[in-house]
Amino acid sequence: MKIRIKFTKQGSMKFIGHLDMMRYFQRVLRRAEVNIRYSEGFSPHPIMSFAAPLGVGLTSSGEYMDIEILSTEPSAEMVRRINDALVDEMRVVSYRLLPDDAVNAMSVVAAADYTLTFREEKMPQHWTELVQKIPEFLSQDAVTVMKKSKKGEKEVDILPMIYEFSVLDEGRLWIKAATGSAANLKPEQAVRAFMDYAGYTLPDFALLVNREEVYADVSVEPGAHRFCPLDEFGEEIS
């Protein structure tokens, strides 16, 4: 059976990197007595994968992990057992059974929502006038930035990767951005590009970033998008 687990990651846990998080969850699932399936061969390991690794320093309200299991209790009981084994700064919020033919979350991730909050001491001046330039920024033909990769730096147009960009309230922005292997945009890059356009220099470490949700794109029309949260592909076990 395939299970998709949604969890949150807050507080000091934001400083735990992806590989350490994988090791941590292996221990948590053992302590919670999850009957997880192991790979075969000389070095068996739990069959588990994460949807989209979260950058160090970011918090999240919507992270996803897929596992394969041999047997299970109802979703509510499994959520309770896993949460009893987790630190307080992490919580499992759903445990859902996936269809047998479901592909893993990592291969379908297409977008994510982010809330970006300015630290109080690094709030831009003239906030109202500044954010009024967002529609103008998004109406450009292209937004070119330098992106680093394993092969070096190259110019990339990030505008097609910004699906939504709006203001929540003073000092807080909302971005839906491309996420995954096909296209990936860090929300800080989008904000920095906007600030450069608006003539404002974004200070280092000015933003607190929280990932709110992760989506697959289920649209069948070329060039169109219809984003679906990853937990909607599964169902509660009663």
Side-chain angles (χ1 to χ4, degrees):
M1 290 182 285
K2 298 178 181 179
I3 299 293
R4 180 159 295 161
I5 296 172
K6 182 178 182 179
F7 63 95
T8 66
K9 183 181 179 185
Q10 300 291 326
S12 60
M13 291 301 290
K14 69 182 181 181
F15 299 114
I16 305 299
H18 177 61
L19 293 179
D20 287 330
M21 186 59 56
M22 290 185 67
R23 298 185 191 101
Y24 174 64
F25 259 110
Q26 289 175 7
R27 298 186 181 97
V28 165
L29 296 177
R30 282 201 300 270
R31 289 199 295 268
E33 298 182 345
V34 177
N35 191 10
I36 195 166
R37 182 180 168 221
Y38 280 75
S39 63
E40 300 176 356
F42 292 104
S43 181
H45 59 273
I47 297 178
M48 58 188 296
S49 62
F50 288 77
L54 188 66
V56 174
L58 277 65
T59 57
S60 179
S61 303
E63 294 301 287
Y64 290 92
M65 174 178 64
D66 286 353
I67 62 174
E68 291 189 23
I69 57 170
L70 301 175
S71 63
T72 184
E73 298 295 325
S75 292
E77 170 63 13
M78 299 307 296
V79 167
R80 184 195 65 78
R81 279 162 50 174
I82 298 171
N83 279 337
D84 284 348
L86 282 170
V87 296
D88 291 340
E89 292 171 321
M90 294 184 66
R91 295 285 91 185
V92 167
V93 295
S94 72
Y95 177 101
R96 290 175 173 254
L97 178 66
L98 295 172
D100 290 339
D101 60 352
V103 296
N104 66 48
M106 182 181 294
S107 64
V108 298
V109 170
D113 290 338
Y114 298 89
T115 299
L116 301 101
T117 305
F118 280 88
R119 298 178 189 272
E120 186 175 350
E121 68 277 11
K122 297 191 177 184
M123 261 287 293
Q125 294 182 342
H126 312 297
W127 173 260
T128 303
E129 293 83 353
L130 178 68
V131 296
Q132 285 177 348
K133 297 182 180 180
I134 290 177
E136 184 181 309
F137 168 74
L138 296 175
S139 67
Q140 298 179 96
D141 293 332
V143 176
T144 304
V145 302
M146 296 298 296
K147 287 193 71 175
K148 293 182 179 179
S149 68
K150 294 179 180 178
K151 298 181 180 179
E153 288 190 337
K154 65 175 181 178
E155 284 192 348
V156 176
D157 178 14
I158 65 170
L159 193 57
M161 304 182 203
I162 304 173
Y163 303 127
E164 295 178 20
F165 189 175
S166 60
V167 182
L168 290 174
D169 48 42
E170 187 169 4
R172 291 203 307 152
L173 299 169
W174 174 275
I175 291 178
K176 186 189 294 290
T179 303
S181 56
N184 191 75
L185 176 64
K186 294 180 180 179
E188 304 97 310
Q189 284 182 310
V191 174
R192 190 173 296 279
F194 166 67
M195 292 297 177
D196 288 345
Y197 173 82
Y200 177 82
T201 301
L202 185 69
D204 291 335
F205 311 112
L207 296 166
L208 299 172
V209 182
N210 187 72
R211 183 148 69 187
E212 302 290 345
E213 186 57 271
V214 180
Y215 301 92
D217 190 347
V218 296
S219 174
V220 295
E221 298 180 17
H225 299 290
R226 186 160 70 89
F227 296 118
C228 177
L230 293 183
D231 58 345
E232 291 190 9
F233 290 87
E235 60 182 24
E236 293 284 319
I237 304 169
S238 57

PDB file of all heavy atoms in Angstrom, residues 183-210:
ATOM      1  N   ALA A 183      10.716  22.904 -13.476  1.00  0.00           N
ATOM      2  CA  ALA A 183      10.997  24.325 -13.267  1.00  0.00           C
ATOM      3  C   ALA A 183      10.922  24.590 -11.779  1.00  0.00           C
ATOM      4  O   ALA A 183      10.029  24.079 -11.092  1.00  0.00           O
ATOM      5  CB  ALA A 183       9.996  25.199 -14.020  1.00  0.00           C
ATOM      6  N   ASN A 184      11.857  25.381 -11.277  1.00  0.00           N
ATOM      7  CA  ASN A 184      11.895  25.620  -9.839  1.00  0.00           C
ATOM      8  C   ASN A 184      12.345  27.055  -9.566  1.00  0.00           C
ATOM      9  O   ASN A 184      13.373  27.496 -10.082  1.00  0.00           O
ATOM     10  CB  ASN A 184      12.856  24.640  -9.158  1.00  0.00           C
ATOM     11  CG  ASN A 184      12.729  24.675  -7.650  1.00  0.00           C
ATOM     12  OD1 ASN A 184      11.762  24.154  -7.095  1.00  0.00           O
ATOM     13  ND2 ASN A 184      13.682  25.294  -6.966  1.00  0.00           N
ATOM     14  N   LEU A 185      11.554  27.770  -8.782  1.00  0.00           N
ATOM     15  CA  LEU A 185      11.872  29.149  -8.445  1.00  0.00           C
ATOM     16  C   LEU A 185      11.792  29.341  -6.938  1.00  0.00           C
ATOM     17  O   LEU A 185      10.751  29.071  -6.327  1.00  0.00           O
ATOM     18  CB  LEU A 185      10.891  30.117  -9.135  1.00  0.00           C
ATOM     19  CG  LEU A 185      11.059  31.602  -8.791  1.00  0.00           C
ATOM     20  CD1 LEU A 185      12.412  32.114  -9.258  1.00  0.00           C
ATOM     21  CD2 LEU A 185       9.924  32.421  -9.388  1.00  0.00           C
ATOM     22  N   LYS A 186      12.884  29.783  -6.353  1.00  0.00           N
ATOM     23  CA  LYS A 186      12.858  30.125  -4.941  1.00  0.00           C
ATOM     24  C   LYS A 186      12.065  31.419  -4.764  1.00  0.00           C
ATOM     25  O   LYS A 186      12.273  32.382  -5.510  1.00  0.00           O
ATOM     26  CB  LYS A 186      14.282  30.310  -4.409  1.00  0.00           C
ATOM     27  CG  LYS A 186      15.116  29.040  -4.417  1.00  0.00           C
ATOM     28  CD  LYS A 186      16.511  29.304  -3.890  1.00  0.00           C
ATOM     29  CE  LYS A 186      17.356  28.036  -3.901  1.00  0.00           C
ATOM     30  NZ  LYS A 186      18.745  28.279  -3.419  1.00  0.00           N
ATOM     31  N   PRO A 187      11.161  31.471  -3.798  1.00  0.00           N
ATOM     32  CA  PRO A 187      10.340  32.680  -3.651  1.00  0.00           C
ATOM     33  C   PRO A 187      11.166  33.927  -3.363  1.00  0.00           C
ATOM     34  O   PRO A 187      10.802  35.028  -3.773  1.00  0.00           O
ATOM     35  CB  PRO A 187       9.412  32.335  -2.481  1.00  0.00           C
ATOM     36  CG  PRO A 187      10.109  31.238  -1.745  1.00  0.00           C
ATOM     37  CD  PRO A 187      10.837  30.455  -2.791  1.00  0.00           C
ATOM     38  N   GLU A 188      12.299  33.766  -2.660  1.00  0.00           N
ATOM     39  CA  GLU A 188      13.161  34.919  -2.392  1.00  0.00           C
ATOM     40  C   GLU A 188      13.693  35.526  -3.689  1.00  0.00           C
ATOM     41  O   GLU A 188      13.878  36.741  -3.778  1.00  0.00           O
ATOM     42  CB  GLU A 188      14.350  34.520  -1.499  1.00  0.00           C
ATOM     43  CG  GLU A 188      13.955  33.869  -0.188  1.00  0.00           C
ATOM     44  CD  GLU A 188      14.012  32.359  -0.281  1.00  0.00           C
ATOM     45  OE1 GLU A 188      13.437  31.773  -1.237  1.00  0.00           O
ATOM     46  OE2 GLU A 188      14.620  31.746   0.620  1.00  0.00           O
ATOM     47  N   GLN A 189      13.926  34.679  -4.710  1.00  0.00           N
ATOM     48  CA  GLN A 189      14.404  35.190  -5.996  1.00  0.00           C
ATOM     49  C   GLN A 189      13.352  36.080  -6.644  1.00  0.00           C
ATOM     50  O   GLN A 189      13.674  37.106  -7.242  1.00  0.00           O
ATOM     51  CB  GLN A 189      14.765  34.041  -6.936  1.00  0.00           C
ATOM     52  CG  GLN A 189      16.081  33.355  -6.613  1.00  0.00           C
ATOM     53  CD  GLN A 189      16.401  32.260  -7.614  1.00  0.00           C
ATOM     54  OE1 GLN A 189      15.563  31.403  -7.902  1.00  0.00           O
ATOM     55  NE2 GLN A 189      17.602  32.284  -8.159  1.00  0.00           N
ATOM     56  N   ALA A 190      12.093  35.679  -6.543  1.00  0.00           N
ATOM     57  CA  ALA A 190      11.014  36.482  -7.115  1.00  0.00           C
ATOM     58  C   ALA A 190      10.906  37.820  -6.402  1.00  0.00           C
ATOM     59  O   ALA A 190      10.759  38.873  -7.043  1.00  0.00           O
ATOM     60  CB  ALA A 190       9.695  35.723  -7.026  1.00  0.00           C
ATOM     61  N   VAL A 191      10.999  37.803  -5.074  1.00  0.00           N
ATOM     62  CA  VAL A 191      10.903  39.055  -4.310  1.00  0.00           C
ATOM     63  C   VAL A 191      12.098  39.951  -4.602  1.00  0.00           C
ATOM     64  O   VAL A 191      11.951  41.169  -4.780  1.00  0.00           O
ATOM     65  CB  VAL A 191      10.797  38.770  -2.795  1.00  0.00           C
ATOM     66  CG1 VAL A 191      10.851  40.067  -1.995  1.00  0.00           C
ATOM     67  CG2 VAL A 191       9.509  38.029  -2.492  1.00  0.00           C
ATOM     68  N   ARG A 192      13.277  39.357  -4.686  1.00  0.00           N
ATOM     69  CA  ARG A 192      14.464  40.166  -4.976  1.00  0.00           C
ATOM     70  C   ARG A 192      14.372  40.806  -6.359  1.00  0.00           C
ATOM     71  O   ARG A 192      14.735  41.978  -6.542  1.00  0.00           O
ATOM     72  CB  ARG A 192      15.723  39.305  -4.865  1.00  0.00           C
ATOM     73  CG  ARG A 192      17.035  40.103  -4.918  1.00  0.00           C
ATOM     74  CD  ARG A 192      18.232  39.221  -4.629  1.00  0.00           C
ATOM     75  NE  ARG A 192      18.207  38.693  -3.286  1.00  0.00           N
ATOM     76  CZ  ARG A 192      18.606  39.363  -2.211  1.00  0.00           C
ATOM     77  NH1 ARG A 192      19.048  40.625  -2.344  1.00  0.00           N
ATOM     78  NH2 ARG A 192      18.568  38.807  -1.018  1.00  0.00           N
ATOM     79  N   ALA A 193      13.866  40.052  -7.329  1.00  0.00           N
ATOM     80  CA  ALA A 193      13.704  40.603  -8.679  1.00  0.00           C
ATOM     81  C   ALA A 193      12.701  41.756  -8.666  1.00  0.00           C
ATOM     82  O   ALA A 193      12.902  42.783  -9.334  1.00  0.00           O
ATOM     83  CB  ALA A 193      13.245  39.519  -9.640  1.00  0.00           C
ATOM     84  N   PHE A 194      11.626  41.613  -7.902  1.00  0.00           N
ATOM     85  CA  PHE A 194      10.643  42.697  -7.801  1.00  0.00           C
ATOM     86  C   PHE A 194      11.251  43.923  -7.131  1.00  0.00           C
ATOM     87  O   PHE A 194      11.049  45.058  -7.579  1.00  0.00           O
ATOM     88  CB  PHE A 194       9.415  42.229  -7.023  1.00  0.00           C
ATOM     89  CG  PHE A 194       8.532  43.373  -6.592  1.00  0.00           C
ATOM     90  CD1 PHE A 194       7.850  44.132  -7.541  1.00  0.00           C
ATOM     91  CD2 PHE A 194       8.396  43.712  -5.254  1.00  0.00           C
ATOM     92  CE1 PHE A 194       7.050  45.198  -7.156  1.00  0.00           C
ATOM     93  CE2 PHE A 194       7.605  44.770  -4.862  1.00  0.00           C
ATOM     94  CZ  PHE A 194       6.928  45.519  -5.812  1.00  0.00           C
ATOM     95  N   MET A 195      11.988  43.702  -6.059  1.00  0.00           N
ATOM     96  CA  MET A 195      12.588  44.827  -5.339  1.00  0.00           C
ATOM     97  C   MET A 195      13.593  45.560  -6.228  1.00  0.00           C
ATOM     98  O   MET A 195      13.666  46.797  -6.211  1.00  0.00           O
ATOM     99  CB  MET A 195      13.267  44.339  -4.054  1.00  0.00           C
ATOM    100  CG  MET A 195      12.288  43.831  -3.004  1.00  0.00           C
ATOM    101  SD  MET A 195      11.185  45.126  -2.420  1.00  0.00           S
ATOM    102  CE  MET A 195      10.118  44.196  -1.305  1.00  0.00           C
ATOM    103  N   ASP A 196      14.366  44.816  -7.004  1.00  0.00           N
ATOM    104  CA  ASP A 196      15.287  45.456  -7.942  1.00  0.00           C
ATOM    105  C   ASP A 196      14.518  46.303  -8.951  1.00  0.00           C
ATOM    106  O   ASP A 196      14.910  47.425  -9.269  1.00  0.00           O
ATOM    107  CB  ASP A 196      16.112  44.387  -8.677  1.00  0.00           C
ATOM    108  CG  ASP A 196      17.148  43.723  -7.779  1.00  0.00           C
ATOM    109  OD1 ASP A 196      17.427  44.268  -6.696  1.00  0.00           O
ATOM    110  OD2 ASP A 196      17.663  42.659  -8.170  1.00  0.00           O
ATOM    111  N   TYR A 197      13.405  45.761  -9.444  1.00  0.00           N
ATOM    112  CA  TYR A 197      12.582  46.496 -10.404  1.00  0.00           C
ATOM    113  C   TYR A 197      12.034  47.778  -9.769  1.00  0.00           C
ATOM    114  O   TYR A 197      11.959  48.825 -10.434  1.00  0.00           O
ATOM    115  CB  TYR A 197      11.430  45.603 -10.867  1.00  0.00           C
ATOM    116  CG  TYR A 197      10.413  46.311 -11.731  1.00  0.00           C
ATOM    117  CD1 TYR A 197      10.638  46.492 -13.096  1.00  0.00           C
ATOM    118  CD2 TYR A 197       9.225  46.799 -11.184  1.00  0.00           C
ATOM    119  CE1 TYR A 197       9.707  47.152 -13.894  1.00  0.00           C
ATOM    120  CE2 TYR A 197       8.298  47.455 -11.970  1.00  0.00           C
ATOM    121  CZ  TYR A 197       8.540  47.629 -13.319  1.00  0.00           C
ATOM    122  OH  TYR A 197       7.614  48.284 -14.103  1.00  0.00           O
ATOM    123  N   ALA A 198      11.658  47.695  -8.503  1.00  0.00           N
ATOM    124  CA  ALA A 198      11.065  48.843  -7.813  1.00  0.00           C
ATOM    125  C   ALA A 198      12.102  49.826  -7.281  1.00  0.00           C
ATOM    126  O   ALA A 198      11.744  50.835  -6.677  1.00  0.00           O
ATOM    127  CB  ALA A 198      10.182  48.351  -6.665  1.00  0.00           C
ATOM    128  N   GLY A 199      13.397  49.511  -7.493  1.00  0.00           N
ATOM    129  CA  GLY A 199      14.449  50.413  -7.049  1.00  0.00           C
ATOM    130  C   GLY A 199      14.779  50.313  -5.582  1.00  0.00           C
ATOM    131  O   GLY A 199      15.290  51.265  -4.972  1.00  0.00           O
ATOM    132  N   TYR A 200      14.498  49.142  -4.991  1.00  0.00           N
ATOM    133  CA  TYR A 200      14.773  48.939  -3.566  1.00  0.00           C
ATOM    134  C   TYR A 200      15.742  47.773  -3.417  1.00  0.00           C
ATOM    135  O   TYR A 200      15.567  46.723  -4.042  1.00  0.00           O
ATOM    136  CB  TYR A 200      13.472  48.642  -2.818  1.00  0.00           C
ATOM    137  CG  TYR A 200      13.662  48.352  -1.348  1.00  0.00           C
ATOM    138  CD1 TYR A 200      13.787  49.386  -0.426  1.00  0.00           C
ATOM    139  CD2 TYR A 200      13.716  47.037  -0.883  1.00  0.00           C
ATOM    140  CE1 TYR A 200      13.954  49.118   0.929  1.00  0.00           C
ATOM    141  CE2 TYR A 200      13.891  46.762   0.470  1.00  0.00           C
ATOM    142  CZ  TYR A 200      14.004  47.801   1.364  1.00  0.00           C
ATOM    143  OH  TYR A 200      14.179  47.547   2.711  1.00  0.00           O
ATOM    144  N   THR A 201      16.779  47.935  -2.619  1.00  0.00           N
ATOM    145  CA  THR A 201      17.749  46.869  -2.379  1.00  0.00           C
ATOM    146  C   THR A 201      17.280  46.004  -1.220  1.00  0.00           C
ATOM    147  O   THR A 201      17.113  46.498  -0.098  1.00  0.00           O
ATOM    148  CB  THR A 201      19.139  47.454  -2.065  1.00  0.00           C
ATOM    149  OG1 THR A 201      19.575  48.262  -3.167  1.00  0.00           O
ATOM    150  CG2 THR A 201      20.146  46.333  -1.841  1.00  0.00           C
ATOM    151  N   LEU A 202      17.040  44.741  -1.499  1.00  0.00           N
ATOM    152  CA  LEU A 202      16.577  43.830  -0.454  1.00  0.00           C
ATOM    153  C   LEU A 202      17.751  43.419   0.426  1.00  0.00           C
ATOM    154  O   LEU A 202      18.709  42.815  -0.050  1.00  0.00           O
ATOM    155  CB  LEU A 202      15.958  42.588  -1.098  1.00  0.00           C
ATOM    156  CG  LEU A 202      15.325  41.580  -0.145  1.00  0.00           C
ATOM    157  CD1 LEU A 202      14.069  42.167   0.491  1.00  0.00           C
ATOM    158  CD2 LEU A 202      14.989  40.282  -0.879  1.00  0.00           C
ATOM    159  N   PRO A 203      17.711  43.722   1.731  1.00  0.00           N
ATOM    160  CA  PRO A 203      18.821  43.337   2.619  1.00  0.00           C
ATOM    161  C   PRO A 203      18.913  41.821   2.749  1.00  0.00           C
ATOM    162  O   PRO A 203      17.925  41.105   2.557  1.00  0.00           O
ATOM    163  CB  PRO A 203      18.433  43.972   3.969  1.00  0.00           C
ATOM    164  CG  PRO A 203      17.370  44.966   3.654  1.00  0.00           C
ATOM    165  CD  PRO A 203      16.667  44.456   2.447  1.00  0.00           C
ATOM    166  N   ASP A 204      20.082  41.332   3.082  1.00  0.00           N
ATOM    167  CA  ASP A 204      20.248  39.905   3.348  1.00  0.00           C
ATOM    168  C   ASP A 204      19.421  39.517   4.572  1.00  0.00           C
ATOM    169  O   ASP A 204      19.288  40.290   5.521  1.00  0.00           O
ATOM    170  CB  ASP A 204      21.717  39.572   3.599  1.00  0.00           C
ATOM    171  CG  ASP A 204      22.555  39.706   2.334  1.00  0.00           C
ATOM    172  OD1 ASP A 204      21.995  39.593   1.227  1.00  0.00           O
ATOM    173  OD2 ASP A 204      23.778  39.953   2.467  1.00  0.00           O
ATOM    174  N   PHE A 205      18.868  38.314   4.534  1.00  0.00           N
ATOM    175  CA  PHE A 205      18.097  37.758   5.656  1.00  0.00           C
ATOM    176  C   PHE A 205      16.923  38.657   6.056  1.00  0.00           C
ATOM    177  O   PHE A 205      16.551  38.721   7.229  1.00  0.00           O
ATOM    178  CB  PHE A 205      19.009  37.513   6.864  1.00  0.00           C
ATOM    179  CG  PHE A 205      20.264  36.760   6.539  1.00  0.00           C
ATOM    180  CD1 PHE A 205      21.511  37.387   6.606  1.00  0.00           C
ATOM    181  CD2 PHE A 205      20.212  35.441   6.119  1.00  0.00           C
ATOM    182  CE1 PHE A 205      22.667  36.703   6.277  1.00  0.00           C
ATOM    183  CE2 PHE A 205      21.375  34.746   5.789  1.00  0.00           C
ATOM    184  CZ  PHE A 205      22.607  35.376   5.873  1.00  0.00           C
ATOM    185  N   ALA A 206      16.332  39.323   5.084  1.00  0.00           N
ATOM    186  CA  ALA A 206      15.214  40.225   5.380  1.00  0.00           C
ATOM    187  C   ALA A 206      13.893  39.477   5.515  1.00  0.00           C
ATOM    188  O   ALA A 206      12.950  40.001   6.117  1.00  0.00           O
ATOM    189  CB  ALA A 206      15.091  41.279   4.283  1.00  0.00           C
ATOM    190  N   LEU A 207      13.809  38.251   4.974  1.00  0.00           N
ATOM    191  CA  LEU A 207      12.526  37.565   4.860  1.00  0.00           C
ATOM    192  C   LEU A 207      12.453  36.286   5.688  1.00  0.00           C
ATOM    193  O   LEU A 207      13.415  35.515   5.767  1.00  0.00           O
ATOM    194  CB  LEU A 207      12.258  37.204   3.401  1.00  0.00           C
ATOM    195  CG  LEU A 207      12.091  38.367   2.426  1.00  0.00           C
ATOM    196  CD1 LEU A 207      12.166  37.864   0.991  1.00  0.00           C
ATOM    197  CD2 LEU A 207      10.771  39.085   2.668  1.00  0.00           C
ATOM    198  N   LEU A 208      11.307  36.076   6.291  1.00  0.00           N
ATOM    199  CA  LEU A 208      10.952  34.796   6.887  1.00  0.00           C
ATOM    200  C   LEU A 208      10.002  34.112   5.915  1.00  0.00           C
ATOM    201  O   LEU A 208       8.969  34.678   5.530  1.00  0.00           O
ATOM    202  CB  LEU A 208      10.266  34.996   8.244  1.00  0.00           C
ATOM    203  CG  LEU A 208      11.097  35.698   9.322  1.00  0.00           C
ATOM    204  CD1 LEU A 208      10.233  36.013  10.535  1.00  0.00           C
ATOM    205  CD2 LEU A 208      12.286  34.827   9.732  1.00  0.00           C
ATOM    206  N   VAL A 209      10.351  32.900   5.491  1.00  0.00           N
ATOM    207  CA  VAL A 209       9.593  32.223   4.437  1.00  0.00           C
ATOM    208  C   VAL A 209       8.925  30.977   4.997  1.00  0.00           C
ATOM    209  O   VAL A 209       9.570  30.138   5.635  1.00  0.00           O
ATOM    210  CB  VAL A 209      10.512  31.836   3.258  1.00  0.00           C
ATOM    211  CG1 VAL A 209       9.705  31.183   2.149  1.00  0.00           C
ATOM    212  CG2 VAL A 209      11.249  33.067   2.738  1.00  0.00           C
ATOM    213  N   ASN A 210       7.622  30.868   4.740  1.00  0.00           N
ATOM    214  CA  ASN A 210       6.865  29.673   5.125  1.00  0.00           C
ATOM    215  C   ASN A 210       6.191  29.090   3.890  1.00  0.00           C
ATOM    216  O   ASN A 210       5.456  29.777   3.183  1.00  0.00           O
ATOM    217  CB  ASN A 210       5.794  30.018   6.163  1.00  0.00           C
ATOM    218  CG  ASN A 210       5.115  28.766   6.713  1.00  0.00           C
ATOM    219  OD1 ASN A 210       5.712  28.018   7.475  1.00  0.00           O
ATOM    220  ND2 ASN A 210       3.862  28.536   6.332  1.00  0.00           N
TER     221      ASN A 210
END
